[in-house]
Amino acid sequence: MTIGIKEMAISVGVLGVKSFILGIIAENKKLASGIPLSSGGVVTCKYPSDPTVFLGFLSIISLAASVMVGFYAVFYPYNGKSVPRNVFFRDTKFSVFFNIAVWLSLLAEGMLLWPTITELIHLKRNVHHNMNAKCPTAKTGLFGGAAFMALNASLFWLICLMLANNAREDYFDEEDENRKGEYGQIFTTDYDAKGQGGV
């Protein structure tokens, strides 16, 4: 079974939407704060079990997979026909959207990592010597914002995929025209040589 551009685009889109959904669920499941329990001069924060950290890491993995598939899909030799990479970057639109997709992907990954790791640190370091400790969790809204950035990154990879496909088609059209031009020159030369010989 050959892999087509449609299958690649579906993979990028599905993984991006999955990352978005997992980030939104993580935001909704996140606790506002833990329960402080004072004893022996320390405050121990008790956090009811919630899947926020797990969902955060799943969202990060889904986005990373979407980005990797998107990057691979842009340069993949469909039907065994490869195109030199510099052909893609000759197109200004492709270059702009490709750079935006790369930076947006890095930003989205960073934004997803930040609340996930912060939440994990709060859960692990739950004993405080400050008796006024409030048992914080990751800042509200970070998971949601990061989820939207993840979705945007995937959409930009889809745009890059469409622009790359256009550049690929233009490249093969140019190659076909060049071949036809070469054949036309050979036939014209042969015809001229025969015409002169016959005179």
Side-chain angles (χ1 to χ4, degrees):
M1 181 180 157
T2 57
I3 298 172
I5 197 162
K6 187 179 177 182
E7 289 80 10
M8 289 287 202
I10 289 170
S11 299
V12 171
V14 166
L15 288 165
V17 169
K18 184 179 176 185
S19 177
F20 168 73
I21 291 169
L22 289 167
I24 294 296
I25 295 171
E27 178 67 47
N28 289 332
K29 295 285 184 184
K30 189 185 76 65
L31 301 169
S33 63
I35 301 163
L37 301 171
S38 303
S39 62
V42 295
V43 173
T44 304
C45 293
K46 185 181 178 183
Y47 293 97
S49 63
D50 74 288
T52 305
V53 173
F54 179 69
L55 291 168
F57 280 118
L58 282 180
S59 181
I60 291 164
I61 291 166
S62 296
L63 176 59
S66 177
V67 170
M68 284 189 287
V69 172
F71 187 86
Y72 182 70
V74 166
F75 303 110
Y76 182 77
Y78 297 97
N79 300 321
K81 295 178 180 179
S82 61
V83 176
R85 289 193 179 188
N86 65 329
V87 169
F88 297 110
F89 292 100
R90 280 188 297 198
D91 182 9
T92 308
K93 285 181 190 173
F94 175 83
S95 296
V96 169
F97 277 95
F98 183 83
N99 284 311
I100 291 172
V102 169
W103 287 108
L104 203 56
S105 300
L106 292 172
L107 182 62
E109 284 287 1
M111 285 181 71
L112 281 169
L113 274 167
W114 181 20
T116 304
I117 291 172
T118 303
E119 189 76 7
L120 185 61
I121 289 169
H122 286 313
L123 293 176
K124 294 292 181 188
R125 297 181 184 172
N126 63 339
V127 177
H128 305 279
H129 294 285
N130 179 4
M131 297 305 288
N132 296 320
K134 302 287 184 186
C135 297
T137 58
K139 194 173 178 182
T140 302
L142 289 179
F143 276 113
F148 278 102
M149 289 297 285
L151 185 62
N152 287 338
S154 296
L155 290 174
F156 269 90
W157 280 111
L158 288 174
I159 293 168
C160 284
L161 198 52
M162 289 187 290
L163 292 171
N165 192 45
N166 291 343
R168 187 177 288 109
E169 286 173 2
D170 291 344
Y171 174 75
F172 289 126
D173 287 345
E174 283 174 21
E175 266 196 346
D176 289 343
E177 283 175 18
N178 290 339
R179 282 187 194 134
K180 286 175 186 173
E182 286 170 15
Y183 294 142
Q185 288 168 3
I186 291 167
F187 292 141
T188 305
T189 308
D190 289 347
Y191 178 75
D192 288 345
K194 285 177 185 175
Q196 288 170 1
V199 172

